[in-house]
Amino acid sequence: MERKTPKKVDRKRFVRYKEGAEMYSMCQSKFENMARDAGAIYKLNKLVLVNCDIFEEYLETFRLTD
């Protein structure tokens, strides 16, 4: 009998504030502010989405290298 491997789920490119804050383990207000600073926010009427690719590039600028 052949074992089936679980399908790998691709990560989302766009997330809402609440989901993004959970993904990056930070409070929602901090995530909102950082997403705004990164220029990663897309607003469609009342729907606000954050582009994770842009946000991650911005997040990498805070990396400490010793």
Side-chain angles (χ1 to χ4, degrees):
M1 182 177 277
E2 201 173 312
R3 276 185 118 169
K4 291 186 178 182
T5 57
K7 291 183 180 179
K8 184 179 178 183
V9 177
D10 292 329
R11 69 179 190 84
K12 292 182 180 180
R13 183 172 174 203
F14 293 96
V15 294
R16 292 184 180 204
Y17 286 140
K18 184 177 180 180
E19 187 178 1
E22 290 173 5
M23 280 176 53
Y24 294 100
S25 302
M26 60 179 71
C27 69
Q28 185 172 330
S29 61
K30 184 67 172 178
F31 181 75
E32 289 177 24
N33 290 336
M34 290 183 73
R36 190 172 297 112
D37 292 343
I41 295 175
Y42 292 75
K43 191 167 184 183
L44 308 160
N45 297 325
K46 292 186 178 185
L47 173 66
V48 178
L49 297 172
V50 177
N51 184 321
C52 291
D53 297 331
I54 296 171
F55 181 79
E56 285 180 8
E57 283 182 35
Y58 177 73
L59 191 60
E60 283 295 321
T61 64
F62 294 97
R63 183 175 169 204
L64 295 178
T65 55
D66 290 346

